[in-house]
């Protein structure tokens, strides 16, 4: 039976062991642009936003800050004291953050891993070298011990877990030592940092510099547990299989591109290379780079009125004027005069001829008596509107604020109105028989490098197809779909109006958040708008506040951009791989991506076989990134996104993996690059200088190196599609007689999921799955105390089943694997 369909339901996994088994561990820009003409209504004075470094105590505070409407950077990272990152804020908002308990750091006050040996946790040297306990209640396990080099410097990353990590009084500490090569003693003791997320202990970990590669490490807990582990290499240093070809063509993108340029080039590629490329148009148009015209009259007090046109600004809203007119006569009623697009509000007077109309009364009149010109009119934010409205100096023009160009933005008028998103499809055989790969860039508008990285990858495919053997294999063995910008409205707004725009431009805000000063905070975070593990279902990381940077929308799939992704993967069911390209955190991740904060209940973790396939693919992809200029995405930034980053409710990866069985990656390109001159890791930005320091932060360098990674992902998919080889597996140790209890585990020849039984029944796809000891750890170890027969089979990532066994049918062969562990009776 070949290529079984993978579907992961949001259900609890079955129990994994019987009663006789005990599973144990194995041994900058101005947001408003230039000032409008004096005849235009202006929002309240607003400072230029800036980035500040912040530290939050944990995921709960992160959600609180996001829900309050603060715009948080993607480059968040876990530190021992919580979560650090950057926020896009004004000086006034810095004060608000401080009042919420957020620590605002100086530029040089961020966390840095210690690379100095210290006295550790006071464990006696002899005790630190005690043997692993033999009672199968080991308190310490090593999850990862990785060695890598970058720019001539070596680093060791260690991740370990103690079964007593949740203990709070006293808090359990851990210490790591390493040797200096084969047959050398342990030394260089360092205290490891403990991580707790949403109240739950995660692990201890450290990243530190070493000049000599160690072969083994030893980790000790403050309660006496100790274990040792072997150090592995993280990422390969081999030359890239594609760019190593002297005739290979690359470096096609010469700068950042706005959506019109991206889409125009996609269409031109399809025209130039019709034998291998075409355009697929997504059916749901975006809401458009357009806004209703607005005016805010009377300041921000109780007499302030916010007015919004019924027509879009470019369709007549910008032609509307509103004037509040005072009259000298006594006892006059409130009245409106509408002449063409001019609205005059004749304010009511009392017996002395003084104005008496309140903001609420004026707003009601504009809404109901403006001849359809005014769509919304209301007091400012949460004001009651009880103040008396004063006459204006003359007519005030409404504006959509989209006729101002941000300094430095590309020339050319942005098309108004809804946009149709083209998908560039590249492949020699576009008949649905080859594995499809979806590259989705720029869900978040301000992330400009993902778009250029994706375009560079497309250019490499079509330009090298006829001259490079490896590229030809990709084009002939995969079916690739490029969405170069999935958020054209927001991206245009980022290019032309507000560089820090994250969301799309759909305004779902009620009156309290609908005044023009809030316009840079409107929109939906498209990567919080999907159906699995969403904020609507109680998962953390999506906000219900319409001005939050992570606003999830009024309902799941409320936005045309997210509807389009679902349409695409349902229409083209051969799509088996997906990369959602973001910036600038320097991470590569997958499922689980969200959790319910109370108890930190994640979406279901992928089977161990899928997890192993993700890690294997990540190593291939990131090795090709490293090949360009030795940029290393560190192991701490790879894995399930809710484990290495934070909970992001309703993200696209979860929906595609759990609903459609698609291997869905999320990629934060950019991030930190090691600077040998200073000995520090230098962070990136959403829009780094295109021709910045090519060894550090540079839009061009990031585009080239991450295009290497995307090209390797295509090779992963091509290999997956051609994989017809059955996996093999074994139980270690295997069949045999043992004098006493024995520890056993499974081993596979490649990433594969094992289904097994120990009760004498035939294994099926409903049988228990061999699982990890704990997340980010290897497979569990079974402590067998009585004679037990294991029956099992393995399924690799491509759906090939060991020995061609069919778990859905009963036949006489029963060619599953079997092994009996016989325990001698005393």
């Amino acid at each position: 039976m070949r290529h079984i369909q993978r579907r992961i339901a949001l259900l609890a996994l079955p129990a994994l062991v019987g009663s006789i088994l005990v599973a144990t561990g194995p041994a900058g820009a101005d947001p408003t642009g230039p000032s409008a003409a004096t005849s235009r209504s202006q929002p309240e004075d607003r400072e230029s936003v800036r980035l500040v470094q912040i530290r939050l105590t944990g995921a709960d505070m992160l959600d609180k800050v996001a829900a309050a409407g603060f715009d948080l950077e993607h480059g968040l990272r876990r530190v021992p004291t919580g979560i650090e990152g950057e926020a896009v804020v004004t000086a006034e908002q810095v004060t608000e953050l401080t009042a919420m308990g957020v620590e605002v750091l100086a530029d040089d006050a961020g966390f840095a891993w210690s690379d100095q040996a210290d006295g550790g946790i006071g464990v006696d040297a002899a005790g630190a070298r005690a043997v692993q306990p033999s009672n199968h209640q080991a308190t310490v396990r090593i999850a990862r011990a990785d060695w890598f080099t970058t720019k001539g410097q070596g680093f060791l990353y260690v991740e370990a877990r103690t079964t007593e990590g949740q203990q709070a009084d006293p808090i359990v500490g851990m210490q790591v030592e390493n040797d200096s090569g084969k047959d050398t003693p342990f030394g260089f003791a360092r205290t490891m940092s403990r991580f707790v997320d949403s109240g739950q202990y995660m692990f201890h970990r450290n990243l530190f510099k070493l000049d000599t590669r160690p072969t083994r490490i030893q980790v000790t807990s403050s309660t006496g547990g100790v274990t040792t582990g072997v150090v592995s290499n993280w990422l390969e240093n081999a030359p890239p299989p594609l760019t190593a070809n002297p005739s290979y063509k690359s470096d096609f993108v010469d700068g950042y591109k706005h959506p019109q340029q991206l889409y125009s080039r996609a269409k031109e590629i399809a025209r130039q290379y019709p034998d291998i490329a075409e355009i697929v148009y997504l059916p749901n148009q975006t809401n458009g780079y357009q806004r209703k015209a607005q005016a805010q009259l009377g300041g921000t007090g109780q007499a302030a009125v916010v007015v919004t046109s019924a027509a879009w600004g470019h369709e007549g809203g910008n032609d509307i004027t509103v004037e509040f007119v005072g009259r000298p006569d006594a006892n006059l009623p409130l009245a409106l005069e509408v002449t063409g697009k001019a609205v005059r509000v004749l304010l009511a007077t009392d017996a002395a001829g003084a104005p008496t109309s309140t903001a609420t009364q004026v707003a009601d009149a504009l809404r109901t008596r403006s001849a359809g010109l005014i769509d919304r009119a209301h007091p400012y934010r949460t004001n009651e509107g009880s103040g008396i409205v004063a006459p204006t100096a003359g007519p005030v023009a409404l504006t959509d604020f989209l006729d101002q160009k941000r300094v430095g933005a590309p020339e050319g008028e942005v098309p108004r109105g809804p946009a149709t998103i083209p998908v560039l499809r590249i492949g020699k055989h576009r008949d649905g028989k080859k594995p499809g790969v979806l590259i989705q860039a720029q869900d978040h508008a301000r992330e400009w490098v993902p778009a250029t990285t994706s375009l560079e990858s497309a250019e490499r495919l079509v330009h090298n197809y006829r001259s490079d053997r490896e590229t030809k294999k990709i084009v002939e063995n995969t079916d690739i779909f490029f969405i170069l910008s999935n958020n054209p409205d927001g991206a245009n707004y980022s290019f032309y109006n507000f560089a820090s725009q994250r969301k799309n431009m759909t305004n779902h805000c009620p009156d309290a958040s609908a005044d023009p000063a809030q316009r840079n905070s409107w929109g939906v975070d498209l990567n919080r708008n999907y159906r699995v593990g969403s904020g609507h279902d109680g998962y953390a990381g999506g906000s219900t506040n319409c001005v939050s940077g992570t606003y999830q929308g009024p309902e799941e799939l409320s936005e045309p951009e997210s509807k389009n992704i679902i349409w695409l993967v349902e229409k083209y069911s051969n799509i088996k791989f997906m990369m959602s390209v973001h910036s600038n955190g320097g991470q590569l991740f997958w499922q689980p991506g969200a959790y319910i904060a109370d108890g930190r209940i994640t979406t279901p973790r992928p089977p161990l076989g899928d997890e192993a396939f993700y890690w294997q693919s990540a190593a291939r992809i990131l090795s090709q990134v490293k090949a360009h200029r030795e940029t290393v995405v560190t192991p701490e930034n790879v894995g399930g996104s809710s484990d290495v980053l934070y909970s992001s409710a309703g993200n696209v990866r979860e929906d595609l993996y759990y609903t459609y069985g698609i291997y869905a990656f999320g990629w934060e390109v950019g991030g930190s690059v090691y600077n040998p001159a200073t000995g520090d890791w230098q962070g990136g930005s959403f829009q780094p200088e295109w021709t910045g320091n090519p060894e550090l932060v540079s839009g061009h360098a990031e585009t080239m190196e991450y295009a290497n990674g995307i090209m390797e992902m295509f090779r992963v998919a091509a290999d997956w599609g051609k994989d017809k080889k059955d996996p093999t597996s074994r139980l270690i140790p295997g069949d045999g007689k043992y004098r006493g209890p024995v520890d056993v585990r499974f081993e596979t020849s490649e990433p594969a999921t094992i289904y097994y039984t120990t009760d004498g029944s035939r294994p099926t796809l409903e049988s228990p799955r061999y699982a990890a000891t704990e997340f980010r750890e290897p497979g569990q170890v079974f402590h067998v105390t009585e004679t037990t027969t294991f029956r099992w089979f393995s399924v690799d990532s491509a759906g090939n089943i060991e020995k061609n066994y069919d778990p859905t049918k009963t036949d006489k062969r029963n060619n599953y694997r079997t092994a009996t562990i016989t325990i001698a009776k005393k």
Side-chain angles (χ1 to χ4, degrees), residues 605-660:
R605 294 186 178 276
L608 186 59
D610 278 7
E611 181 83 7
F613 181 70
Y614 272 125
W615 276 105
Q616 181 188 74
S617 302
R620 289 181 58 175
I621 292 166
L622 296 176
S623 291
Q624 297 312 310
V625 173
K626 182 181 179 183
H628 182 72
R629 54 169 187 162
E630 290 196 77
T631 295
V632 173
V633 176
T634 60
E636 67 188 288
N637 288 316
V638 180
S641 63
S642 65
D643 300 332
V644 303
L645 194 56
Y646 47 74
S647 178
S648 51
N651 67 78
V652 64
R653 305 180 310 277
E654 304 266 88
D655 205 329
L656 298 197
Y657 177 77
Y658 293 118
T659 308
Y660 303 102

Side-chain angles (χ1 to χ4, degrees), residues 52-59 61-62 65 72 76-87 97-98 100-112:
V52 297
Q53 191 174 6
I54 61 173
R55 180 180 295 151
L56 307 104
T57 55
M61 182 175 283
L62 174 63
V65 171
L72 300 179
L76 297 174
R77 62 190 182 279
R78 295 176 186 271
V79 299
T81 51
I83 296 174
E84 283 189 2
E86 291 178 322
L97 283 173
T98 303
M100 295 173 68
V102 176
E103 184 179 359
V104 179
L105 307 173
D107 290 342
D108 58 352
F111 172 78

Side-chain angles (χ1 to χ4, degrees), residues 193-534:
S193 300
R194 177 176 179 263
F195 284 78
V196 174
D197 184 32
S198 198
Q200 300 297 311
Y201 169 71
M202 301 284 288
F203 37 66
H204 285 70
R205 69 180 182 185
N206 268 80
L207 173 71
F208 49 87
K209 299 176 187 175
L210 284 178
D211 293 329
T212 303
R213 186 195 188 284
T215 60
R216 295 180 65 81
I217 63 167
Q218 180 169 261
V219 178
T220 309
S221 78
S222 57
T223 56
V226 60
T227 192
T228 61
V230 176
V231 176
S232 301
N233 288 328
W234 173 243
L235 307 186
E236 298 293 332
N237 292 314
L242 292 167
T243 56
N245 181 350
S247 64
Y248 186 82
K249 303 179 186 68
S250 61
D251 203 355
F252 295 98
V253 181
D254 59 3
Y256 293 122
K257 307 295 180 184
H258 57 65
Q260 292 72 245
Q261 293 170 316
L262 294 168
Y263 295 167
S264 176
R265 181 55 191 151
K267 295 171 186 176
E268 181 63 14
I269 287 174
R271 187 194 67 79
Q272 288 179 300
Y273 304 93
D275 58 327
I276 59 171
E278 64 179 307
I279 294 294
V280 174
Y281 288 100
L282 296 177
N284 300 291
Q285 286 192 313
T286 69
N287 289 299
Y289 177 78
Q290 57 188 7
R291 286 230 167 113
K292 301 295 181 72
Q294 291 188 301
Q296 185 173 312
L297 301 90
T300 61
Q302 290 292 340
V305 178
V306 178
V307 181
T308 304
S309 65
W312 297 107
H314 66 284
E315 293 179 344
N318 289 335
D319 300 326
I320 298 171
T321 62
V322 174
E323 181 180 9
F324 296 164
V325 181
R327 295 178 286 174
D329 297 331
N331 299 318
L332 295 176
L334 178 65
L336 258 72
E337 292 180 351
V338 178
T339 305
K341 296 293 182 66
V343 180
R344 301 178 77 235
V345 180
L346 308 179
L347 302 174
T349 61
D350 60 15
T356 61
S357 299
T358 66
T360 295
Q361 292 169 338
V362 170
D364 289 343
L366 284 166
R367 213 169 37 246
T368 58
R369 291 188 268 167
S370 63
L373 293 177
I374 303 302
D375 180 44
R376 298 170 72 172
H378 50 86
Y380 176 77
R381 299 198 179 176
T382 59
N383 289 351
E384 296 178 357
S386 57
I388 302 301
V389 172
T392 57
V396 176
L398 276 62
T399 175
D400 61 8
F401 296 96
L402 298 179
D403 56 351
Q404 304 162 18
K405 299 294 187 293
R406 184 172 60 82
V407 175
E411 295 183 2
E413 187 68 17
V414 183
R416 299 294 198 269
T420 298
I421 299 176
V423 181
L424 175 60
R425 185 182 187 187
I426 297 177
K428 181 62 176 177
H429 308 288
R430 303 184 302 278
D431 55 6
K433 295 180 180 178
K434 300 295 182 179
V437 184
L438 170 59
I439 304 297
Q440 176 210 47
Q442 210 170 39
D443 250 359
H444 294 149
R446 62 193 175 200
E447 298 168 8
W448 294 359
V449 176
T452 54
T453 298
S454 301
L455 178 58
E456 171 70 19
S457 303
E459 297 279 12
R460 292 184 186 184
L461 289 175
V462 297
H463 283 92
N464 291 294
Y465 171 60
R466 289 179 173 80
S467 59
D468 179 75
R469 183 175 61 181
E470 290 298 321
T471 304
K472 188 179 184 67
K473 289 179 181 178
I474 291 173
V475 175
E476 295 191 344
N477 290 287
T478 60
D479 189 0
I480 300 167
F481 299 80
F482 287 98
I483 301 178
L484 300 176
S485 176
N486 195 46
N487 184 4
D489 304 341
N492 277 317
Y493 197 70
S494 176
F495 268 93
Y496 288 94
N497 303 97
F498 177 55
S500 295
Q501 178 74 9
R502 171 183 169 95
K503 303 179 285 184
N504 69 6
M505 288 181 64
T506 308
N507 180 10
H508 291 291
C509 283
D511 292 347
S513 301
D515 56 272
Q518 299 269 42
R519 68 186 183 276
N520 291 333
S521 297
W522 295 333
V524 173
D525 183 343
L526 299 177
N527 204 34
R528 300 295 185 275
N529 193 231
Y530 290 85
R531 303 166 295 182
V532 175
S534 79

